[in-house]
Amino acid sequence: MRARFAPSPTGFLHVGSARTALFNWLAVRHAGGEFVLRSDDTDAERGSDEYYQDVIDGLRWLGLDWDEGVEVGGPHGSYRQSERLARYQDVAEALRRAGAAYLCFCTTPELEERRRQAQAEGKPPGYDGRCRPLDAAESQARREAGEQAVVRLAVPRPGETVFEDIVRGEVRFDHDHVEDFVLLRSNGSPTYHLASTVDDVDFEVSHVVRGEDLLSSTPKHILITVAMGAEPPSYAHLSLLMGPDGKKLSKRHGDTALHSYRRGGYLPDAFVNYVALLGWNFGDDETVFARSEMVERFDLGDIQKNPAVFDNEKLTWMNGVYIRQLELDDFVDRTRPLVEADLARPLDEAEQATYRGIAPFIQERMKVLTEAPEQARFLFVDVVEYDAGAWEKILTKPDARSALESALARLASLDEWQTDAIERSLRSMLEELELNARKGLQPLRVAITGSSISPPLFESMESLGRARTLARLEDVVKRL
RNA sequence: GCCCCCAUCGUCCAGAGGCCUAGGACGCCGCCCUUUCAAGGCGGAAACGGGGAUUCGAAUUCCCCUGGGGGCACCA
């Protein structure tokens, strides 16, 4: 099996394309075949290096490695279409000489007018084949005389293209609805159909796995392939990803660029796991599974035919599952930079140890990595910012002040500053003051962290250290 | 307008004629645990779009309707 992913660098890699890449990759790795990465960069107008790099970075981040293609090379020469232009022209020319394609001199306005008319009459809107009967030699002469012409494929008529789609089953298209489409523009550049198909043939691609938006173009690709004297590949057309409103996933649904998930604190494994579930399943009731298991069980034939809505909430839940599965060191390595960025300074050695100490408690209450700073911040700032709502709701309560003062006295005289001792001391304080935990402990939490939401209190105090804990309690008492 | 694809809880998937009183996951609701927030445990509400046909029997097969999606460029 040889599959390919062929993005056009005309935009950032978005989640829909990422899913297509993933399904290609899964199919190839399952079969032990080769994965080819090609850059469909024939559109110099819209394409850019930035987008190209974004695609590469995105695939690498996801861990979807390729065996052949752009960046890594391979036996088929360049894997960038912009460097293969001559090849496409040669194919178009050969097809023309063989009578499988012909020159067309119709102008765009003429074409538009006829298309409009056909539509008004309820007929298929495609090209009407006007230039097809023209004598090839005469046409050739006209072009050499300087007349603008495109090369069109002579689609067999009457006729029909039938193929077996791996996910959809048998699909048929009557050629009445497949126009004599353009292969080569008048400026000599290839259309997508030509370039893509020639490459699939040249690169010996055996399986074309792509979005459903290309389903109705498939007859064109098969026709070109056959005209080139090659065997068409197998096709698998994936249904598209939808936004929450059921419309095709796009910019208006917010961030659809893959890199925004990376920046938003998502783990590549979680993303891959979630996206794999969109249109596919593990075969039992499991939803969380390792990549190796995925590869082992994956089968293009099991893919769901209907479009799937991309659900950020489920992705986020799954990300939380993966975060909790991280080794502590790994978790620290991934989140410490975020904490440091938030503070706008690096943590010194002692602070790093402190962070590592509190990290397990932060780790289990996060869904995205980017939540780490807000949980850890209180440990590393000189002055905590108090959440106005929490201050009002908790610190101004009648029992808050006595709890703070009592805690202050007890903690100041505590023998050893560690979680267990702190807990024992504060629990006996609760008894003494006859306060429940909520009334007696929440004020302390707000006082030392600035928020009513934080890692566990006793651990937080230990991490903060005695001096700073006492200072904050004292400061709050004063301000009250 | 023309062509193609699709159709099970709000969402993602199970279900390939009787195992379905339709199963799991996210989300939602309730309870438990609990120093907050999470996590975790337990429980709950929640779906086969409609109509025909085939069959002893249909979520599962066929047809029509409806609905949704995609495509119809000298863009990819």
Side-chain angles (χ1 to χ4, degrees):
Chain A
M1 172 184 250
R2 282 174 62 83
R4 51 47 162 202
F5 178 56
S8 174
T10 51
F12 296 117
L13 181 61
H14 63 89
V15 302
S17 309
R19 185 179 71 137
T20 301
L22 173 63
F23 282 12
N24 267 287
W25 183 87
L26 285 170
V28 165
R29 300 275 95 116
H30 175 83
E34 287 125 35
F35 189 31
V36 180
L37 180 63
R38 181 176 90 211
S39 184
D40 281 12
D41 59 352
T42 52
D43 190 342
E45 288 284 307
R46 295 191 298 150
S48 83
D49 264 8
E50 185 193 4
Y51 294 143
Y52 170 83
Q53 198 54 48
D54 187 71
V55 171
I56 302 293
D57 291 346
L59 293 176
R60 287 192 174 142
W61 178 64
L62 290 175
L64 307 183
D65 56 332
W66 55 101
D67 309 291
E68 208 178 300
V70 125
E71 301 287 310
V72 304
H76 295 283
S78 177
Y79 292 83
R80 302 182 80 125
Q81 294 194 325
S82 56
E83 292 169 2
R84 293 172 45 77
L85 265 19
R87 168 65 181 152
Y88 310 130
Q89 290 169 355
D90 287 350
V91 172
E93 195 51 25
L95 257 26
R96 194 187 61 77
R97 271 197 302 270
Y102 60 92
L103 293 176
C104 166
F105 300 93
C106 297
T107 64
T108 304
E110 289 169 358
L111 258 19
E112 271 165 13
E113 170 56 22
R114 276 185 261 152
R115 184 165 21 244
R116 201 189 51 71
Q117 202 172 322
Q119 219 177 84
E121 289 168 18
K123 290 182 191 153
Y127 177 65
D128 58 8
R130 177 161 310 199
C131 296
R132 185 161 167 170
L134 264 32
D135 179 75
E138 255 172 59
S139 292
Q140 174 78 334
R142 281 171 70 181
R143 183 168 63 171
E144 273 158 22
E147 224 177 308
Q148 293 278 297
V150 300
V151 178
R152 288 181 184 273
L153 190 82
V155 174
R157 300 179 197 289
E160 126 180 286
T161 295
V162 183
F163 62 98
E164 191 72 19
D165 190 278
I166 298 171
V167 341
R168 271 147 227 286
E170 185 182 280
V171 181
R172 34 195 344 136
F173 287 90
D174 192 299
H175 289 182
D176 282 349
H177 302 287
V178 182
E179 64 173 347
D180 284 0
F181 57 99
V182 175
L183 297 173
L184 220 54
R185 303 189 184 96
S186 53
N187 68 4
S189 68
T191 59
Y192 164 75
H193 302 301
L194 208 224
S196 172
T197 306
V198 168
D199 284 355
D200 286 341
V201 170
D202 286 358
F203 298 168
E204 300 171 278
V205 169
S206 67
H207 294 256
V208 172
V209 181
R210 47 155 53 161
E212 191 192 0
D213 50 340
L214 268 340
L215 185 62
S216 43
S217 297
T218 305
K220 297 179 181 173
H221 304 159
I222 291 176
L223 257 10
I224 295 175
T225 306
V226 171
M228 286 175 73
E231 184 75 22
S234 299
Y235 291 94
H237 286 93
L238 274 21
S239 61
L240 271 15
L241 254 30
M242 301 295 156
D245 58 355
K247 302 289 180 198
K248 184 175 168 179
L249 197 62
S250 66
K251 326 269 173 293
R252 67 202 172 105
H253 296 110
D255 270 331
T256 53
L258 181 68
H259 65 225
S260 63
Y261 287 90
R262 181 182 190 171
R263 292 172 195 158
Y266 289 83
L267 262 14
D269 283 339
F271 189 89
V272 162
N273 191 154
Y274 172 69
V275 167
L277 252 21
L278 261 23
W280 185 69
N281 71 86
F282 201 45
D284 53 31
D285 284 338
E286 294 305 310
T287 51
V288 180
F289 38 80
R291 198 176 291 226
S292 55
E293 299 176 298
M294 225 181 289
V295 167
E296 196 174 311
R297 297 212 197 177
F298 190 78
D299 186 342
L300 285 172
D302 293 337
I303 293 174
Q304 193 85 12
K305 289 193 265 275
N306 49 326
V309 173
F310 190 89
D311 180 9
N312 264 308
E313 283 196 277
K314 190 164 183 177
L315 200 214
T316 302
W317 163 78
M318 186 163 285
N319 200 56
V321 172
Y322 273 83
I323 285 178
R324 273 170 257 127
Q325 283 177 0
L326 250 30
E327 298 284 338
L328 181 58
D329 285 336
D330 195 5
F331 176 77
V332 169
D333 288 346
R334 287 170 190 269
T335 51
R336 206 185 68 211
L338 300 174
V339 172
E340 293 178 330
D342 175 62
L343 298 168
R345 68 175 177 83
L347 296 182
D348 64 32
E349 233 167 272
E351 288 174 322
Q352 289 186 21
T354 299
Y355 182 58
R356 197 173 190 287
I358 203 75
F361 303 100
I362 293 181
Q363 182 175 9
E364 61 186 332
R365 56 206 76 220
M366 279 192 355
K367 292 234 173 71
V368 288
L369 262 14
T370 46
E371 282 169 334
E374 64 206 45
Q375 294 257 357
R377 188 154 46 218
F378 79 96
L379 289 169
F380 307 116
V381 293
D382 292 330
V383 185
V384 288
E385 249 181 72
Y386 288 92
D387 177 83
W391 183 286
E392 182 61 32
K393 256 196 4 222
I394 294 161
L395 288 177
T396 58
K397 283 281 161 58
D399 296 319
R401 192 185 175 105
S402 52
L404 289 168
E405 284 173 337
S406 172
L408 201 44
R410 286 170 163 277
L411 295 175
S413 60
L414 206 59
D415 290 336
E416 37 169 5
W417 191 259
Q418 46 107 331
T419 302
D420 289 351
I422 295 169
E423 173 160 12
R424 274 196 302 276
S425 172
L426 292 178
R427 291 232 184 256
S428 76
M429 175 197 88
L430 291 178
E431 274 177 44
E432 187 186 300
L433 299 179
E434 295 185 316
L435 288 178
N436 63 26
R438 180 178 291 270
K439 283 184 175 158
L441 264 24
Q442 269 306 80
L444 306 184
R445 178 189 310 284
V446 175
I448 68 159
T449 69
S451 165
S452 58
I453 299 168
S454 82
L457 181 61
F458 311 127
E459 283 82 354
S460 292
M461 285 182 163
E462 181 186 324
S463 289
L464 227 205
R466 188 195 306 252
R468 289 199 292 169
T469 301
L470 296 180
R472 280 180 198 179
L473 294 176
E474 218 166 319
D475 183 52
V476 169
V477 168
K478 231 177 281 170
R479 289 165 66 175
L480 282 173

